[in-house]
Amino acid sequence: TPSLYFPQVRKARILEIQEKIQLPYAQLEMQGTSLFNDGGLQDVMNLQTNDVKRLKALLSMRNMSKQDAIPILKSALRDPADDIRLLAYAMLDRYETQINAELESVQSQLADATDAHKAELHKHIALNYWELAYLGLAQGAVLEHALDQAQQNIQQAMAFKETPELAMLAGRIALKQKRSEFASLAFKQAIAVGMDKQHVLPYLAEAAYMSGHYQKIPYLLEQLPEALRHRYPFSELVDYWYVNTNRI
């Protein structure tokens, strides 16, 4: 009865709103001009109108692999800014000079080398010539000379000792020379002396395409491991050749 006539009075709960809460850290402020840009270095070189940013992008390529940097440097040779064109040319020239210096060093050792050591030296020479061709540092007649020298040194190395790697390289050089029949023989020899077939099949398919033996391509691609067939870029190749084979 007392609680009915004399209820306890509760204070109303008031929500306290604070306009600004002091946190132990402050939000980072975005700078108006950032050092780096959205997109890759190729996009910066092609689309960026600021010469300084293009120059910074070019300088950052010194830490990239030659395989990734050289195509971008070659496109920079057409840049409207003189400083960027000169820097790109200097960086390309440095890569070529390094390879040529290594070539001269290895070639100078051939005269005094034993037969066993000569095989390794010829392989090293072939790899250097192949690097000039593969990276696009050699063009025109220089490219043909580099490929010829690479192939000759591979054959000289294989005369001492035939390995899967040498046979594989001989096939890849032949593909670059548009000698598809020789390339196919080299790739088959690579498999015969121990190269894993799945590494050779895509090159065999390329050689078959180059020589016009299109009916062989689906058969070669079908021999790839299933996981590899469903992986880019082989998935698109397999689908394309199977669709076209069914149409025929």
Side-chain angles (χ1 to χ4, degrees), residues 99-117:
I99 296 173
N100 286 327
E102 191 170 353
L103 264 172
E104 292 179 6
S105 174
V106 177
Q107 286 172 335
S108 64
Q109 302 174 38
L110 275 173
D112 302 326
T114 61
D115 288 348
H117 188 44

Side-chain angles (χ1 to χ4, degrees), residues 51-240:
D51 292 356
V52 176
K53 287 191 175 183
R54 294 203 309 279
L55 186 61
K56 287 180 178 179
L58 200 63
L59 289 170
S60 69
M61 294 177 205
R62 291 177 297 183
N63 299 321
M64 293 173 59
S65 66
K66 287 184 283 190
Q67 183 179 351
D68 295 329
I70 286 175
I72 305 176
L73 291 173
K74 291 176 74 174
S75 67
L77 295 175
R78 300 187 295 272
D79 196 275
D82 292 340
D83 291 343
I84 294 175
R85 290 199 306 272
L86 290 172
L87 179 59
Y89 179 81
M91 293 173 72
L92 285 170
D93 185 65
R94 185 188 64 172
Y95 289 138
E96 188 173 356
T97 302
Q98 288 175 349
I99 296 173
N100 286 327
E102 191 170 353
L103 264 172
E104 292 179 6
S105 174
V106 177
Q107 286 172 335
S108 64
Q109 302 174 38
L110 275 173
D112 302 326
T114 61
D115 288 348
H117 188 44
K118 279 184 179 180
E120 195 62 31
L121 292 176
H122 281 299
K123 176 184 175 182
H124 201 162
I125 292 170
L127 286 171
N128 279 282
Y129 275 118
W130 171 243
E131 189 174 18
L132 285 172
Y134 180 72
L135 294 177
L137 293 172
Q139 301 290 334
V142 179
L143 173 61
E144 293 178 8
H145 172 74
L147 292 172
D148 287 340
Q149 289 297 314
Q151 195 66 268
Q152 288 178 23
N153 279 276
I154 282 292
Q155 299 305 320
Q156 288 174 305
M158 291 177 72
F160 293 102
K161 183 180 180 181
E162 190 171 16
T163 65
E165 293 77 14
L166 289 175
M168 187 72 180
L169 183 57
R172 295 187 66 184
I173 295 170
L175 278 182
K176 194 78 171 177
Q177 294 174 309
K178 309 298 182 185
R179 298 167 59 198
S180 56
E181 298 298 335
F182 181 87
S184 294
L185 292 174
F187 292 138
K188 290 175 183 177
Q189 184 62 20
I191 296 173
V193 294
M195 176 66 72
D196 191 343
K197 194 174 183 179
Q198 70 174 0
H199 298 312
V200 186
L201 287 171
Y203 293 103
L204 277 171
E206 184 177 352
Y209 177 81
M210 190 179 293
S211 59
H213 298 151
Y214 304 125
Q215 71 281 2
K216 294 182 180 180
I217 298 175
Y219 169 73
L220 292 168
L221 295 177
E222 190 178 26
Q223 296 180 64
L224 289 170
E226 187 175 356
L228 198 59
R229 275 186 286 148
H230 295 295
R231 189 187 308 165
Y232 179 84
F234 298 112
S235 58
E236 295 184 0
L237 286 171
V238 171
D239 290 343
Y240 174 83

Side-chain angles (χ1 to χ4, degrees), residues 32-44:
T33 57
S34 59
L35 175 62
F36 302 103
N37 301 270
D38 294 333
L41 290 175
Q42 183 73 69
D43 294 333
V44 176

